[in-house]
Amino acid sequence: MRGEELEGTLEWHQVADIAGQIQQQLTEPAPEPETSAPRKARSAKPMLWIAAAGILMIALAAGFVAISGQKRPAPVVRAELPGPVEIPAGTHPTPDGAQQELSAFRISSHEVTIGQYAEFLETLETLTKDQLERTYDHAEQPAEKTSHVPDDWSALLAAAKSGGRWNEHTLTLDTPVVGVDWWDAAAFAAWKKARLPSQEQWFAAMRRELPEPAALTPSDWLPVAKDSADRTPTGLLGMAGSVSEWASQPAMNPTNPLGERNWVIVGGSFQKSGSNALSREWTSDRSLRRPDLGFRIVWDTE
């Protein structure tokens, strides 16, 4: 009756043929078995059967229209992300006002995105089947840390895939990932055969061809785009705004020269009003996670 055995979408003439066959079957009298008993008068009501067949035909037609009228969602078109920026070897200014010799390196032009980090987690899932999920873990990573899944990852990824909202922001897979600690960032970098930038590398890259870093306009936490508000002359994005970023090594806080060397977080944050490309924070906890904290990576030049 409902056509479960049929494959594909019915055409109009097929719907009409099926309805006609059903109507004929319903209205034709069924053969009666031979019997010696007196026959009783039949009380068939062909008009009722015709009405039922008509209703069925209308239902089939409505189903056909509904199915054929459905449009498949258009595929999400992702912009091509800009490539890394090369910083030449030489003497570069440091964030503390000194000068330092640095070897040439390449730095990613943008923070690692949700889509890129999702690919990393998919790799780890594959490695888990062979008990190799710790392949990219840093040598100092605590034994109790067994996962690199960011905070609230399911909701974050679902919003990014659908163009939905998370923490009052509209996301895409090209939005910088957040909710990752230093260990997560270091593992991703190892997977990419890269590493986290030192604060000196980060600062040298940001300062290149940029005479006034404080004048760089901070951006909101937005998908990576070449026309970002805080794009540097060499093409680096998100240095003054978007999300703050993990640096690779601990350093002394110049405001506390007698204190311990702690891990550095560089760059501005969309959640911290007044922060910019010169902003820095220090923390003793490499397991720190925040909804405005991400990272980018660097490679040696070949």
Side-chain angles (χ1 to χ4, degrees):
M1 290 288 286
R2 295 175 298 182
E4 283 95 340
E5 296 83 10
L6 298 176
E7 298 182 359
T9 303
L10 295 176
E11 302 292 340
W12 278 107
H13 68 87
Q14 293 175 304
V15 172
D17 289 344
I18 293 173
Q21 294 172 18
I22 295 173
Q23 178 181 345
Q24 182 178 359
Q25 293 172 6
L26 292 173
T27 56
E28 287 181 353
E32 296 183 275
E34 295 183 0
T35 175
S36 57
R39 294 184 178 181
K40 295 183 179 180
R42 292 198 306 268
S43 58
K45 299 179 180 180
M47 290 302 297
L48 291 177
W49 295 120
I50 293 173
I55 293 172
L56 177 60
M57 182 176 178
I58 293 172
L60 287 171
F64 168 77
V65 172
I67 293 172
S68 61
Q70 291 176 353
K71 295 183 179 180
R72 295 181 180 180
V76 177
V77 178
R78 295 177 62 186
E80 182 178 354
L81 300 180
V85 173
E86 185 165 337
I87 307 300
T91 302
H92 296 273
T94 71
D96 296 318
Q99 299 284 321
Q100 184 172 341
E101 286 288 330
L102 294 175
S103 300
F105 63 94
R106 292 180 299 134
I107 183 168
S108 54
S109 59
H110 56 86
E111 295 106 340
V112 171
T113 67
I114 295 171
Q116 290 173 325
Y117 200 86
E119 294 173 0
F120 169 58
L121 293 182
E122 290 172 1
T123 299
L124 294 186
E125 286 184 14
T126 301
L127 292 174
T128 299
K129 299 174 183 177
D130 298 320
Q131 298 182 336
L132 297 173
E133 65 274 13
R134 300 189 76 107
T135 297
Y136 301 108
D137 288 0
H138 190 274
E140 298 175 6
Q141 180 172 307
E144 60 269 20
K145 180 175 175 60
T146 59
S147 171
H148 291 298
V149 176
D151 287 344
D152 201 21
W153 176 245
S154 295
L156 181 73
L157 181 60
K161 285 182 175 179
S162 64
R165 293 181 67 81
W166 183 85
N167 274 15
E168 300 182 353
H169 279 75
T170 300
L171 307 183
T172 75
L173 290 173
D174 294 333
T175 304
V177 71
V178 294
V180 290
D181 59 29
W182 188 95
W183 309 108
D184 302 326
F188 178 96
W191 174 60
K192 284 293 188 180
K193 298 181 180 180
R195 62 183 183 279
L196 298 178
S198 67
Q199 66 164 340
E200 290 78 17
Q201 287 177 317
W202 194 96
F203 192 78
M206 182 270 294
R207 279 294 307 271
R208 186 160 175 77
E209 301 181 20
L210 184 66
E212 296 293 337
L216 197 63
T217 304
S219 64
D220 199 358
W221 182 38
L222 299 170
V224 173
K226 293 181 180 179
D227 58 352
S228 171
D230 56 358
R231 184 181 188 275
T232 71
T234 58
L236 297 175
L237 309 174
M239 305 295 275
S242 191
V243 299
S244 297
E245 305 171 26
W246 284 107
S248 63
Q249 300 170 356
M252 181 189 67
N253 184 340
T255 64
N256 184 21
L258 299 180
E260 296 182 354
R261 294 165 61 88
N262 283 318
W263 301 91
V264 186
I265 297 171
V266 290
S269 158
F270 73 96
Q271 285 193 339
K272 295 182 182 297
S273 176
S275 64
N276 56 40
L278 297 175
S279 298
R280 286 185 292 169
E281 305 172 62
W282 283 261
T283 179
S284 60
D285 183 12
R286 280 189 276 182
S287 297
L288 172 68
R289 286 178 163 182
R290 295 192 327 222
D292 69 332
L293 181 53
F295 65 100
R296 73 181 70 212
I297 55 180
V298 298
W299 300 262
D300 293 326
T301 57
E302 299 177 352

